[in-house]
Structures are given as C-alpha cells and as structure tokens.
Amino acid sequence: MQYSPESLDAFLQAVETGSFSAAARKLKKSQSTISTAIANLEADLGIALFDRQSRQPVLTPQGQRVLPYVQSIIAASERLDEVSVRLAGNIEPRLSFVLSDLWQTSHHESILKRFSERFPDIEFECLIAEDEDVIDLIQTGRAHVGVLRVQERYPVDVTVARLQVGAQMAIYIHKQHELASLQWVEMEKLHTFRQLCLKTYKDPTRNMGGGPVWSSPSLLMLLEMAEQGFGWGILPRWLVEQFGHGVLQELPVAGWPQHIDVDVMWSNKEPPGAAGRWIIDRLREQQA
C-alpha cells in the first residue's frame, strides 16, 4: 500500500507541534487540509492515530506504534533526496551558512578556502547565531546549512548529523574579580554574583541560576562583557584564548570545563543543493 507524503508529513507535524492547527501553520496549509490528510492516513491504515476527545489531539496506542515507522519512511525519503542532489550535481546560486561561536574558527576556515576554489561563482553568506536561533534560521529558509551545539530535541522538518569535532566550554571571570583568587568556587557562591548569560532571540527565558543576569544572544558579546568585569560567563575556551586579551581567568568549578558536542543541520523540506551538500560532507569528515 502506498501512503501520501502529504499525509505522513501532516501526521509528523501534528505530533511535533501538538495540534492540527499548529501543524497547519507550520506547513502553511489550512487546518481542514491537515485534518483531511490525517484522516486519509487513518483510513488507509485502518486505525485511529489520534484520540480527538480531548482539547488537543493525543496519540492513541496504535498511533504511538505507527510513529517510528512513519519517521523511518520520511528519513528514507530524505536520504533519497540527498543522493539525487549529489548525483544531479545541481549547484545553487546562493548559499547561506550559519554557525555558532562556540565552534573554533579554524574548523571551518580551511573548508571555506576549498569551497571558494570549488564554487567560485556562488553567492555565499556567513551568519553567526546560537542554539534555537540557528534552528529558526534553517526552518525559515534564511540559512541553508547550520552548525550548533547538540540540542535535546529537534523539529521534524530538519535533519542533523553529529560532527567529530566538538568544543570546550568553561566558566570565566575577570582576573581582578574577588572570585579569581579562590582555589575552588562553589556554584552556590557563583550565583550570588552577576551571570553573563546566553539568551537567544527564540528562547529569551533561559537562565542557568537564580542570581542577577546580563544577557546577550552572542557569545562574543558575552566575552566582551566579561573583559569589562561585568560578571562571570560560560564561554568557549578557544574564543577566550584567541580574543580574550589575557584579562580573563578560568574558574575552578565542579563539573567544569565541559565538552560540548556539535551538530550540522539543514532543512529536509528545502534541502541544500550540491554546494551545501559539499560543505556538509566536509564538515562531517573533519577530525579533532
């Protein structure tokens, strides 16, 4: 039996967003179209996928069993799209690449040099963003390929792959701050001082602790705040070593420094062309 790709997409988006109306907005379709698509899939399968008696649709036990199979079908379709793009060799006229400041510059500089030689005529744009902002740029089509720290969960309309090269994050403060003279710093004491906290545009509510906070969506801006002595912050080691001007000190805190895994991401609804695939492949080939 063949199943409509539109019905499978509608089902996955309804699960991801938690409602038919939210799935409709995500797919830019009417709610009735989404409801019909899911009803057609239920008719084809001969089972009810959602319990519609509650305010929001809830997966039935049968729906929960079906979900991983639908995810596998969609994933296989995405892999087929990737193969076709690589075989066809269609080069997009423009490529936008967004990456996080936590990832060391040297990791992508060599790739961009080779990219400029291989695709000399393409229009290229490089953006800087973090976490949810990277995801948003990919989902909205503003960027085609993104590099970001590993997230707990991803939307169903993006594809991610783990990179072999990660990042080291540590807690830093100005050398003249009173905490800089301590041999050990408890997290409870740390939170009595101002934290320089990363807050993305898409998730401005995040906060590591309960103390006073200054925030920015840019790790580089947080670094500059720390250099001015405005507080402590969690920063990439490479960023401090390369741009910290020697005025910051890494604090000895339990559990720190931390290794951060990094993913490369792209849209599976509007996947990148040959140039974007080339960058993705080179990123995945890199070793620490």
Side-chain angles (χ1 to χ4, degrees):
M1 182 181 294
Q2 294 183 346
Y3 305 104
S4 162
E6 291 76 15
S7 294
L8 299 178
D9 277 344
F11 172 63
L12 280 187
Q13 286 293 347
V15 173
E16 167 74 17
T17 60
S19 72
F20 292 178
S21 58
R25 290 193 296 272
K26 191 70 171 292
L27 294 174
K28 295 180 173 59
K29 297 182 179 180
S30 67
Q31 183 172 341
S32 61
T33 299
I34 298 300
S35 298
T36 300
I38 293 175
N40 289 339
L41 181 59
E42 290 176 319
D44 290 338
L45 294 171
I47 57 174
L49 297 173
F50 291 99
D51 181 354
R52 296 169 173 80
Q53 295 182 353
S54 58
R55 183 174 182 180
Q56 298 292 348
V58 178
L59 275 178
T60 63
Q62 295 91 338
Q64 293 174 351
R65 290 285 301 275
V66 166
L67 178 59
Y69 291 98
V70 175
Q71 291 171 329
S72 296
I73 293 172
I74 297 297
S77 176
E78 293 165 4
R79 290 193 294 270
L80 179 59
D81 288 341
E82 290 182 18
V83 171
S84 65
V85 168
R86 288 187 171 93
L87 292 177
N90 295 323
I91 300 175
E92 58 269 49
R94 179 180 178 276
L95 182 69
S96 181
F97 178 46
V98 55
L99 70 156
S100 164
D101 270 333
L102 70 85
W103 212 51
Q104 190 164 347
T105 307
S106 60
H107 295 326
H108 64 269
E109 283 181 344
S110 60
I111 293 177
L112 293 185
K113 185 176 186 303
R114 294 159 60 193
F115 179 85
S116 68
E117 296 169 351
R118 186 178 181 91
F119 304 99
D121 300 321
I122 193 172
E123 180 186 345
F124 181 79
E125 177 185 35
C126 189
L127 306 172
I128 301 295
E130 306 295 336
D131 300 342
E132 298 87 356
D133 291 346
V134 177
I135 297 174
D136 182 63
L137 289 168
I138 296 293
Q139 286 187 297
T140 58
R142 180 63 180 81
H144 307 103
V145 178
V147 172
L148 73 168
R149 82 177 81 201
V150 171
Q151 305 292 297
E152 290 185 4
R153 60 192 299 270
Y154 290 101
V156 297
D157 56 351
V158 301
T159 301
V160 297
R162 187 65 41 84
L163 299 183
Q164 299 183 61
V165 180
Q168 288 286 329
M169 301 284 282
I171 297 177
Y172 291 92
I173 204 162
H174 196 281
K175 286 183 176 180
Q176 295 181 356
H177 194 280
E178 62 182 273
L179 291 178
S181 62
L182 301 180
Q183 295 184 346
W184 190 257
V185 180
E186 298 291 340
M187 189 62 73
E188 291 78 8
K189 183 175 181 61
L190 192 63
H191 285 311
T192 63
F193 295 88
R194 182 188 293 133
Q195 179 184 1
L196 307 176
C197 182
L198 181 72
K199 290 188 179 181
T200 59
Y201 293 107
K202 292 297 291 183
D203 184 16
T205 61
R206 68 165 68 189
N207 186 359
M208 184 176 173
V213 169
W214 281 17
S215 64
S216 171
S218 165
L219 287 170
L220 187 59
M221 178 59 71
L222 294 179
L223 169 65
E224 294 180 359
M225 289 180 179
E227 287 182 292
Q228 296 300 316
F230 295 140
W232 62 273
I234 301 171
L235 300 167
R237 274 180 156 178
W238 84 269
L239 198 68
V240 173
E241 292 170 1
Q242 188 163 332
F243 300 108
H245 301 101
V247 301
L248 297 183
Q249 180 169 316
E250 182 177 330
L251 290 179
V253 181
W256 295 88
Q258 293 182 359
H259 175 82
I260 306 297
D261 288 326
V262 175
D263 281 338
V264 59
M265 167 191 290
W266 62 96
S267 170
N268 55 41
K269 301 301 180 185
E270 298 180 9
R277 299 290 182 182
W278 185 91
I279 281 188
I280 292 169
D281 290 343
R282 301 296 81 75
L283 290 169
R284 299 180 67 180
E285 289 172 357
Q286 280 198 322
Q287 297 182 0

